[in-house]
C-alpha cells in the first residue's frame, strides 16, 4: 500500500524586515505538525518561504535606496537562518521571485482569463499598503486600517477584476459540505457574514511595477495576493514535476493567522475553482500573539525577533515548547519573558529534566534488567516485559494521538507532562535507590523512551538526546538538558 502523504504550508512572509516571534510561531507549529506526521510514517512535504513582490516591498526597498530584488536578497537569509536556529525542517523555502513560480502565476492568470473570469474595469478605493489590500469605508476605523492603524490611501486605477462575486454560492456550499475546510469552526460564521456583500476582486496594478506582468496586458502587474497564494502550487511542483504535484496536491493543511484568513478561505479557493484545480482540505486559522499584552509591531509596540527570543532561555526547545503549550492553537496568546522562563524552569527543567537525570543516574549506579527473565512466557511475566509495563500502561497514547489530530497541542503536551508527573512519582514511591529494583528501572527507561518519541515533534533536539542516551548499551547519568534560569 502506498504511504499516506501530508502537505502542510505556512504563509509566505513579507521579507520587508527580519522575522519576529509571530512568524516564528506559525513556522514552529508547521514544523511540529510536519514532524508529527513523519512520526506516523507518512510522506510529508512542508513548505514555507517569502512573498517578495508588491508595493510594500517596493516601498521598503526605496527607503533603503535599494532595488527590490537586492533588498529582499538581503533579508531572505535572515528568515532561513532563523528557521535553521529554531530547528525547522522544511522541504522547500519558496521565493515568489523564483522562475518556476513566475511561470505558475502566468499560467493561472491566463487560465482564469480564458475562462472569462477576468475583465477590465476601474478601481477607486482606499488602500492600505501594510495589508496590500483595498478596504471599504465601513471596514476602516476613522479612515485608518484596522490592523495597521495607518491612514488608508485613496487610489484610483484601471484594473483587471477577478469575478469573485460569482462564486458566492459555491463558497457557501464548500463550507457546508466540508466542515473541516475552515478550522477552528467558530471562524466560519464571520466569513459567511462577510460574504454578504462579496465584490469582484481587483487583481492588477499600474501604479507601481514590482510584480509579475499580466500575460494578457503587460501594462499591468499582478496583485501581490494573486501571485502569492499560488506559491502553494509552485511549492510542490505544479507545471514542473507532475509526479510530485500529483502526489502532494491538494494541500492537507494551510496554516495562517486570522489577519489573512479572508485571502485563504475566500479568494484562494475561488482562484482554484476558476482554474479547475482541486481545493486544499483544511485552512487552520490561528490567533495573534501580543508581547506583554501589547501588539507586536515595529511602529507601535514591541517586536521580539528570533535572536532575542532564543536568548531568553538560550534553549530553542523551550521556545518551541512554550509557544505550543501556552495557548490553545487557534486562540490569541500573550508572550512574556517571565512566562517563558517559568515554563522552562517548572516544566522542562523540574519535571522532564529531573526525571531523565534521576533515572539515568540510578541506572548508571544500579544497572537494569535488559531482557525478559529466561524461561518465563511473556504473558506470565510480572508487569515488566512484553508490553506489560505497568507504568507505561498509565499513558493514554490513543488520546494523545486524537488530540494531535485535532490540533490541540496544548492538551497533547499537558497529557504527556501528566505522564511525566506519574513517572516522577513512581520513582519517589518505588525508591529504586533502596530496593535496587532493576525492573522498576527498566519500566522507567521504557517510559522515558516513549516520552521522548511523543515529544520529538515539539522539542526535537532534547528528544533526540534522551533517545540516544536511553538506547545506549551502557546508560549514563545525563548532562543537564534544561539549565534552570
Ligand atoms: N505575505 C502575506 C502572506 C501570503 S500567504 C500566501 C503575509 N505576510 S506576513 O509577513 O505579514 O505574515 C503574516 C503571518 O505571520 C500571519 O498570518 C501569521 O502566520 C504570522 N504572524 C505575524 N504576526 C503574528 C502575531 N503577532 N501572532 C501570530 N502570528 C503572527 O501576510
Amino acid at each position: 500500500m502506498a504511504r499516506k502523504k501530508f502537505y502542510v504550508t505556512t504563509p509566505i512572509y513579507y521579507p520587508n524586515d527580519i522575522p519576529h516571534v509571530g512568524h516564528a510561531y506559525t513556522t514552529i507549529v508547521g514544523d511540529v505538525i510536519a514532524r508529527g506526521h513523519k512520526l506516523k510514517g507518512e510522506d510529508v512535504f512542508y513548505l514555507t518561504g517569502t512573498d517578495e513582490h508588491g508595493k510594500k516591498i517596493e516601498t521598503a526597498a526605496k527607503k533603503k535606496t535599494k532595488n527590490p530584488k537586492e533588498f529582499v536578497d538581503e533579508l531572505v537569509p535572515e528568515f532561513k537562518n532563523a528557521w535553521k536556529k529554531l530547528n525547522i525542517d522544511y522541504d522547500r523555502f519558496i521565493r515568489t521571485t523564483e522562475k518556476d513560480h513566475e511561470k505558475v502565476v502566468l499560467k493561472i492568470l491566463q487560465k482564469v482569463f480564458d475562462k472569462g473570469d477576468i475583465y477590465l474595469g476601474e478601481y477607486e478605493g482606499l488602500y492600505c499598503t501594510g495589508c496590500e489590500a483595498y478596504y471599504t469605508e465601513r471596514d476602516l476605523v476613522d479612515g485608518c486600517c484596522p490592523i495597521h492603524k495607518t491612514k488608508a490611501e485613496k487610489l484610483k486605477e484601471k484594473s483587471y477584476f477577478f469575478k469573485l462575486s460569482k462564486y458566492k454560492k459555491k463558497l457557501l456550499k464548500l463550507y457546508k459540505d466540508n466542515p473541516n475546510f475552515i478550522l477552528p469552526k467558530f471562524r466560519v460564521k464571520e466569513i459567511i457574514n462577510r460574504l454578504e456583500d462579496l465584490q469582484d476582486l481587483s487583481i492588477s496594478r499600474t501604479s507601481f511595477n514590482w510584480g509579475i506582468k499580466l500575460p494578457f496586458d503587460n501594462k499591468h502587474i499582478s496583485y501581490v495576493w494573486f501571485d502569492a497564494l499560488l506559491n502553494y502550487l509552485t511549492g510542490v511542483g505544479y507545471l514542473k514535476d507532475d509526479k510530485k504535484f500529483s502526489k502532494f496536491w491538494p494541500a492537507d493543511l494551510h496554516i495562517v493567522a486570522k489577519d489573512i484568513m479572508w485571502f485563504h478561505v475566500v479568494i484562494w479557493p475561488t482562484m482554484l475553482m476558476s482554474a479547475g484545480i482541486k481545493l486544499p482540505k483544511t485552512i487552520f486559522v490561528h490567533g495573534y500573539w501580543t508581547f506583554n499584552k501589547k501588539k507586536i509591531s515595529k511602529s507601535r509596540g514591541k517586536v521580539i525577533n528570533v535572536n532575542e527570543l532564543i536568548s531568553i532561555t538560550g534553549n530553542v526547545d523551550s521556545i518551541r515548547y512554550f509557544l505550543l503549550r501556552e495557548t490553545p492553537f487557534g486562540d490569541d496568546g500573550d508572550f512574556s519573558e517571565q512566562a517563558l522562563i517559568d515554563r522552562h524552569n517548572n516544566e522542562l527543567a523540574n519535571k522532564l529534566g529531573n526525571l531523565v537525570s534521576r533515572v539515568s543516574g540510578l541506572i548508571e549506579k544500579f544497572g537494569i534488567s535488559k531482557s525478559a527473565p529466561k524461561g518465563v512466557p511473556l504473558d506470565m511475566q510480572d508487569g515488566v516485559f512484553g508490553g506489560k509495563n505497568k507504568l507505561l500502561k498509565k499513558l493514554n497514547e490513543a488520546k494523545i494521538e486524537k488530540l494531535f489530530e485535532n490540533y490541540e497541542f496544548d492538551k497533547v503536551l499537558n497529557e504527556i507532562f501528566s505522564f511525566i508527573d506519574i513517572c516522577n512519582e513512581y520513582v519517589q514511591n518505588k525508591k529504586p535507590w533502596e530496593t535496587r529494583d532493576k525492573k522498576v528501572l527498566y519500566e522507567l527507561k521504557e517510559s522515558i523512551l516513549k516520552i521522548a518519541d511523543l515529544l520529538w515533534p515539539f522539542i526535537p533536539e532534547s528528544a533526540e538526546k534522551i533517545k540516544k542516551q536511553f538506547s545506549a548499551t551502557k546508560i549514563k547519568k545525563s548532562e543537564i538538558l534544561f539549565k534552570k534560569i
Side-chain angles (χ1 to χ4, degrees):
M1 209 179 72
R3 298 217 293 176
K4 251 181 105 175
K5 67 90 184 175
F6 195 85
Y7 175 29
V8 51
T9 69
T10 69
I12 46 171
Y13 307 110
Y14 293 125
N16 61 331
D17 205 344
I18 60 176
H20 62 60
V21 58
H23 307 120
Y25 175 63
T26 315
T27 316
I28 290 171
V29 179
D31 189 60
V32 170
I33 294 173
R35 286 176 189 265
H37 283 268
K38 274 182 202 158
L39 211 53
K40 291 208 294 187
E42 296 174 14
D43 281 337
V44 175
F45 199 93
Y46 179 28
L47 181 73
T48 190
T50 40
D51 184 356
E52 306 187 359
H53 293 126
K55 194 164 182 224
K56 191 187 184 100
I57 297 293
E58 198 188 72
T59 309
K62 261 193 197 137
K63 265 194 197 151
K64 296 256 151 99
T65 58
K66 294 216 164 94
N67 79 45
K69 183 61 172 40
E70 232 176 18
F71 175 72
V72 293
D73 280 349
E74 281 171 19
L75 277 153
V76 165
E78 298 279 350
F79 281 81
K80 290 190 174 168
N81 288 337
W83 302 159
K84 194 168 177 193
K85 283 185 191 157
L86 291 172
N87 231 331
I88 307 295
D89 188 16
Y90 55 74
D91 293 283
R92 177 169 175 185
F93 187 104
I94 190 171
R95 302 181 54 181
T96 53
T97 48
E98 284 172 301
K99 269 278 158 290
D100 61 341
H101 180 66
E102 191 172 322
K103 232 175 109 184
V104 169
V105 176
L106 293 175
K107 178 78 175 193
I108 299 289
L109 278 165
Q110 192 63 51
K111 261 192 168 188
V112 175
F113 185 74
D114 292 344
K115 173 116 193 258
D117 276 351
I118 292 177
Y119 63 91
L120 185 63
E122 191 163 78
Y123 198 91
E124 189 178 346
L126 296 154
Y127 197 77
C128 169
T129 306
C131 295
E132 293 280 16
Y134 278 106
Y135 277 94
T136 60
E137 205 86 55
R138 212 183 63 184
D139 296 328
L140 299 175
V141 183
D142 296 329
C144 293
C145 162
I147 294 165
H148 293 89
K149 316 276 187 236
T150 47
K151 263 242 158 339
E153 249 183 291
K154 204 166 219 151
L155 282 186
K156 185 174 171 179
E157 51 186 334
K158 267 217 167 349
S159 171
Y160 284 91
F161 284 82
F162 171 52
K163 290 185 181 166
L164 188 59
S165 60
K166 130 179 180 193
Y167 288 92
K168 187 159 135 186
K169 275 213 181 93
K170 286 206 170 115
L171 283 170
L172 290 169
K173 184 167 160 34
L174 168 69
Y175 307 151
K176 192 157 172 244
D177 295 348
N178 301 277
N180 286 337
F181 186 72
I182 305 174
L183 288 178
K185 293 194 166 84
F186 73 84
R187 300 267 179 205
V188 181
K189 218 169 135 195
E190 179 190 331
I191 290 295
I192 292 180
N193 286 341
R194 276 185 73 185
L195 282 184
E196 277 299 315
D197 54 22
L198 186 62
Q199 311 279 322
D200 287 347
L201 177 73
S202 159
I203 55 149
S204 77
R205 302 285 182 263
T206 51
S207 51
F208 62 95
N209 53 36
W210 178 233
I212 298 175
K213 288 194 172 97
L214 298 190
F216 42 84
D217 184 343
N218 66 17
K219 285 198 280 307
H220 289 247
I221 58 161
S222 167
Y223 173 41
V224 63
W225 272 100
F226 201 98
D227 159 352
L229 287 161
L230 293 167
N231 89 87
Y232 302 132
L233 295 181
T234 314
V236 279
Y238 183 63
L239 301 183
K240 194 177 167 189
D241 184 341
D242 290 345
K243 210 171 138 208
K244 186 165 167 189
F245 184 71
S246 57
K247 172 167 181 178
F248 286 107
W249 192 260
D252 294 273
L253 178 66
H254 293 311
I255 309 171
V256 300
K258 59 187 183 183
D259 56 337
I260 56 174
M261 165 164 72
W262 177 260
F263 300 95
H264 283 81
V265 307
V266 175
I267 297 174
W268 178 225
T270 322
M271 285 166 63
L272 291 168
M273 285 174 192
S274 177
I277 297 170
K278 281 193 188 146
L279 307 188
K281 292 180 193 156
T282 295
I283 289 126
F284 194 103
V285 183
H286 68 71
Y288 242 54
W289 285 87
T290 48
F291 181 75
N292 289 332
K293 304 274 161 74
K294 291 207 183 67
K295 201 184 131 82
I296 297 171
S297 139
K298 218 175 130 185
S299 44
R300 293 155 307 99
K302 164 91 178 141
V303 181
I304 179 150
N305 69 42
V306 171
N307 287 333
E308 289 166 342
L309 187 62
I310 295 174
S311 69
I312 301 170
T313 58
N315 187 312
V316 165
D317 280 344
S318 58
I319 294 153
R320 295 177 59 114
Y321 174 80
F322 173 82
L323 290 173
L324 275 102
R325 176 66 190 81
E326 181 73 1
T327 359
F329 187 44
D331 293 1
D332 292 335
D334 183 55
F335 183 91
S336 79
E337 297 189 359
Q338 196 52 51
L340 168 61
I341 291 171
D342 286 347
R343 287 203 187 272
H344 172 95
N345 284 344
N346 302 340
E347 292 162 36
L348 291 171
N350 285 355
K351 293 181 172 188
L352 177 61
N354 184 40
L355 177 69
V356 165
S357 98
R358 217 166 163 199
V359 173
S360 58
L362 288 165
I363 294 176
E364 183 175 26
K365 208 156 167 198
F366 301 117
I368 189 171
S369 304
K370 285 216 178 56
S371 58
K374 278 203 178 79
V376 185
L378 272 182
D379 54 352
M380 296 282 288
Q381 290 162 14
D382 179 26
V384 181
F385 305 101
K388 284 194 141 195
N389 185 328
K390 269 188 196 149
L391 178 59
L392 205 42
K393 257 190 167 164
K394 298 189 177 144
L395 176 76
N396 190 343
E397 251 189 282
K399 183 174 174 193
I400 291 174
E401 199 170 314
K402 192 90 218 129
L403 289 168
F404 197 98
E405 266 172 32
N406 290 337
Y407 306 109
E408 296 180 90
F409 305 115
D410 58 322
K411 294 201 182 123
V412 168
L413 290 171
N414 209 14
E415 199 64 30
I416 300 171
F417 272 73
S418 302
F419 182 62
I420 293 174
D421 286 342
I422 292 174
C423 292
N424 275 320
E425 283 159 23
Y426 200 69
V427 180
Q428 205 54 37
N429 296 337
K430 294 277 176 186
K431 302 191 182 358
W433 58 92
E434 279 173 14
T435 62
R436 305 189 170 211
D437 186 339
K438 293 184 182 185
K439 281 183 191 173
V440 165
L441 291 176
Y442 183 90
E443 289 176 308
L444 281 160
K445 175 197 111 173
E446 294 288 291
S447 301
I448 289 172
L449 281 171
K450 187 60 177 186
I451 290 166
D453 262 342
L454 294 172
L455 284 177
W456 179 74
F458 301 90
I459 52 168
E461 199 183 324
S462 312
E464 278 163 24
K465 276 189 197 158
I466 297 171
K467 279 198 78 146
K468 194 164 165 229
Q469 185 192 3
F470 281 84
S471 316
T473 23
K474 252 194 147 23
I475 296 173
K476 291 212 173 72
K477 188 167 167 69
S478 51
E479 49 163 320
I480 290 172
L481 276 179
F482 301 95
K483 286 197 185 74
K484 273 177 87 164
I485 296 160

